[in-house]
Amino acid sequence: MTGTDDVILELKDITKAYSGIVALKKADLKLRRGAVNVLVGENGAGKSTMMRIIAGVERPTLGEIWMDGERIHLDSPADAVRHGIGIVFQELNLFGNLSVAENIFATREITRGLRGIDHKAQVEKANEFLDRLEAGISADTLAEDLPIGQQQLVEIARAVSLDTRILIMDEPTSALSAAEVDVLFRVIADLKARGVAIVYISHRLEELMRIGDHITVLKDGQITGHAMVKDIDTRWIVRSMIGSDAKDFAKQVEHEPGEEVFRTQDICLPRAQGGYAVDHVSIGVRRGEILGIYGLMGAGRSELFECIMGRHEHSTGKIFVEGAELKGRDTTRRIREGLSLIPEDRQREGLVQSMSIADNLSMASLGQFLKAGFHIDLKRERQAIAEAIRNLSIKAKNPDLDVTSMSGGNQQKVVIGKALMTGPKVLLMDEPSRGIDVGAKADVFRTMRRLAGEGLAILFSTSDLEEVMALSDRIAVMSNGRLVMVVDRRDATEDMVISASAEGHKTRRMQA
């Protein structure tokens, strides 16, 4: 359908302002039934704000919302649900202490009259939605016990279960493996066939080209382009978003890595149900080297980083920095000894939501700014904060605003800036580009290259094959908790890396 009769929802002249900052300015958007309506733009362009307005989470400052030819008001998420609008947020919104089934049916529980909630029925029904997503999750599992990728699948299952007419997906694949993305796309195709309007936000341009029907580009809170996806290419998207072609973020900084500065020896993390989440991993990183760890969901990459940072008291093995074994078990001491982690889940682990941008940046490095051991040198602190904002191209007009006022990509840059302000010898980066747009990703990757050129040892994990091939000096592959391959980037091929990650359980453990 190409006529106006297929438009289910229309935003007209929508403006949204926060504390004097205009996030959206006179934006128009038409959503079509039975189609994937792609929304793209740099972090801070206004995409998430627009979606939150459609989902009833935010109210527009000015403008109108029309559905099926009638003006409507979405004053709350409940209003949106009543109109058949569902959303999968970029940041996870699960109740960690509830089961997967309880999360899926939260606020609309299946009951047995006066006998209360029918937990068995909820589990059975939830398992149907999870099976449809091939999630490999039991609905009676606690949400907090799932890795972030599977938590993402629970969010998607909850949205699909709502039987929505409009389904918004904000970065739905950011924590999913390639196989899980394929399953999600099959589910989206099924929803399209049922006439559901899909709103799809992603920074993975190849995904947008593969699944999108209509595309709308946002820049600085304004709509800068509409097109049919079949009529454009990825270069058109990038030019519309940032005004020029994407720069080559993978350009090598010519330098030879130095001596080994960091090593793990036989790191193990037992699973409660038996076996190991991290299985005898020994790996080293040299000064000025970027070592990329590639693996699919459940490979043990995040758990390895957590062990290195002292997050798991029952983990075993040894860790060395500059040849000296680290004895302390707590994270604060690990930071003092030269380690710093950028976690995968920035909202829960990387930021303090109630604090300002500036305070989040400096909170881990306040000791550097003490005068006479008692007072903070505010001038030096502000200079360091300003330098971090400049070096990472963080969009922060006022560093004293709450960190929640920023886009997801800029929040990620704040987490990175906070880690760098501690002056680490070894930087651990767990999925550093998750939820970051083309321009912001280039900024982060250039920063990684610059830091490596200055002698910092960087160990980063990713499930993005293109990313690990482009950025790494050496590539390590993990599968089922084991290190199964370490290879120089010059000797690596995509087939080699994929095969190792898929068949790691058949491969012997390696040491690097």
Side-chain angles (χ1 to χ4, degrees):
M1 293 182 290
T2 57
T4 57
D5 60 334
D6 65 327
V7 174
I8 184 172
L9 186 131
E10 184 174 2
L11 304 185
K12 297 182 178 180
D13 284 336
I14 294 292
T15 295
K16 179 65 180 178
Y18 300 94
S19 303
I21 297 173
V22 179
L24 283 175
K25 185 176 181 181
K26 294 188 175 181
D28 295 311
L29 179 69
K30 293 180 179 179
L31 302 182
R32 289 173 168 81
R33 295 180 181 85
V36 175
N37 302 267
V38 168
L39 194 63
V40 295
E42 288 191 272
N43 285 111
K47 305 183 305 298
S48 292
T49 300
M50 183 176 280
M51 293 308 96
R52 289 166 70 85
I53 287 171
I54 296 174
V57 178
E58 304 275 5
R59 296 184 188 182
T61 307
L62 296 169
E64 300 176 354
I65 303 173
W66 291 69
M67 191 172 197
D68 291 328
E70 294 183 7
R71 186 176 178 184
I72 62 170
H73 297 276
L74 301 175
D75 295 327
S76 69
D79 278 350
V81 170
R82 279 195 294 273
H83 283 90
I85 299 169
I87 186 166
V88 179
F89 287 106
Q90 179 181 347
E91 307 302 344
L92 302 179
N93 286 278
L94 299 178
F95 299 102
N97 61 335
L98 298 183
S99 71
V100 168
E102 288 168 328
N103 270 282
I104 288 176
F105 290 102
T107 73
R108 53 194 181 91
E109 289 78 8
I110 299 174
T111 59
R112 298 176 294 176
L114 296 176
R115 297 164 65 191
I117 296 172
D118 189 338
H119 291 284
K120 183 179 178 182
Q122 285 194 165
V123 168
E124 289 176 355
K125 195 70 178 173
N127 277 329
E128 291 179 16
F129 294 116
L130 294 167
D131 289 345
R132 189 170 159 194
L133 285 170
E134 300 176 30
I137 304 167
S138 174
D140 53 11
T141 306
L142 279 182
E144 65 187 7
D145 291 339
L146 297 175
I148 193 167
Q150 289 191 327
Q151 289 184 24
Q152 186 83 295
L153 291 175
V154 174
E155 289 271 21
I156 293 166
R158 180 167 65 183
V160 170
S161 75
L162 287 168
D163 196 23
T164 53
R165 301 173 65 202
I166 298 171
L167 179 56
I168 303 164
M169 294 186 163
D170 191 357
E171 296 284 350
T173 65
S174 59
L176 303 185
S177 69
E180 290 160 345
V181 170
D182 288 340
V183 174
L184 175 62
F185 284 4
R186 289 200 294 274
V187 171
I188 288 174
D190 178 51
L191 292 170
K192 277 178 58 177
R194 299 182 188 189
V196 176
I198 308 290
V199 184
Y200 196 90
I201 301 173
S202 177
H203 296 308
R204 298 179 176 181
L205 302 188
E206 69 281 359
E207 282 184 6
L208 305 182
M209 298 301 297
R210 177 179 162 193
I211 198 172
D213 297 304
H214 303 270
I215 186 164
T216 300
V217 184
L218 267 169
K219 182 176 173 62
D220 297 327
Q222 295 180 282
I223 304 290
T224 58
H226 293 285
M228 296 284 288
V229 173
K230 63 182 177 60
D231 296 332
I232 54 107
D233 57 15
T234 55
R235 290 184 65 187
W236 180 92
I237 298 175
V238 173
R239 284 196 303 270
S240 300
M241 283 171 57
I242 64 177
S244 62
D245 291 336
K247 296 180 175 68
D248 180 11
F249 62 74
K251 187 176 181 181
Q252 299 285 331
V253 176
E254 295 300 330
H255 73 277
E256 281 297 317
E259 73 281 6
E260 185 174 273
V261 70
F262 171 78
R263 170 160 289 277
T264 69
Q265 184 176 312
D266 282 335
I267 299 293
C268 288
L269 179 62
R271 284 196 183 99
Q273 62 270 42
Y276 293 98
V278 180
D279 190 353
H280 296 84
V281 172
S282 300
I283 195 166
V285 188
R286 295 170 291 174
R287 197 178 304 280
E289 179 181 40
I290 298 179
L291 176 60
I293 301 181
Y294 178 81
L296 304 178
M297 195 167 65
R301 296 168 293 132
S302 296
E303 291 83 355
L304 172 62
F305 284 3
E306 290 167 0
C307 290
I308 292 170
M309 292 304 296
R311 295 272 298 276
H312 296 286
E313 291 185 358
H314 55 295
S315 66
T316 58
K318 297 180 179 180
I319 298 168
F320 301 86
V321 173
E322 294 181 331
E325 183 180 351
L326 306 189
K327 298 295 187 182
R329 275 285 184 174
D330 62 291
T331 301
T332 302
R333 184 166 174 177
R334 292 280 163 96
I335 292 172
R336 272 203 313 268
E337 291 168 329
L339 301 179
S340 195
L341 170 65
I342 293 160
E344 181 180 17
D345 189 341
R346 63 175 170 261
Q347 289 287 343
R348 287 191 293 185
E349 300 176 22
L351 298 170
V352 178
Q353 304 284 314
S354 58
M355 291 173 63
S356 69
I357 299 163
D359 288 343
N360 268 280
L361 278 166
S362 63
M363 63 185 294
S365 53
L366 285 175
Q368 298 177 20
F369 309 114
L370 288 178
K371 289 192 297 187
F374 297 104
H375 303 289
I376 295 174
D377 186 334
L378 295 178
K379 183 178 179 181
R380 279 184 54 224
E381 182 192 8
R382 299 299 288 192
Q383 287 173 342
I385 289 166
E387 185 178 351
I389 289 172
R390 185 170 58 251
N391 287 343
L392 285 169
S393 301
I394 298 172
K395 291 180 181 176
K397 294 178 181 177
N398 183 354
D400 294 322
L401 288 176
D402 286 351
V403 74
T404 51
S405 68
M406 312 180 84
S407 67
N410 281 297
Q411 288 181 15
Q412 180 75 319
K413 289 183 183 182
V414 169
V415 178
I416 294 170
K418 181 180 75 171
L420 294 178
M421 284 178 68
T422 66
K425 299 171 184 174
V426 182
L427 183 60
L428 311 175
M429 308 179 81
D430 195 0
E431 294 278 8
S433 70
R434 180 173 180 253
I436 291 182
D437 67 63
V438 175
K441 186 182 293 189
D443 290 337
V444 170
F445 292 166
R446 278 194 297 271
T447 299
M448 290 170 69
R449 280 280 168 214
R450 174 174 60 79
L451 293 167
E454 294 169 0
L456 185 63
I458 298 176
L459 185 63
F460 82 100
S461 80
T462 182
S463 53
D464 187 311
L465 183 62
E466 180 184 4
E467 197 170 292
V468 80
M469 298 294 285
L471 275 172
S472 308
D473 296 309
R474 281 188 302 153
I475 296 172
V477 180
M478 286 187 70
S479 180
N480 296 317
R482 295 185 176 188
L483 185 66
V484 297
M485 183 181 80
V486 181
V487 63
D488 192 285
R489 168 63 187 91
R490 288 168 291 195
D491 302 322
T493 64
E494 291 188 357
D495 287 346
M496 178 195 302
V497 173
I498 291 171
S499 297
S501 66
E503 301 181 21
H505 60 284
K506 301 177 183 177
T507 312
R508 64 179 178 84
R509 288 195 299 267
M510 293 192 61
Q511 293 192 348

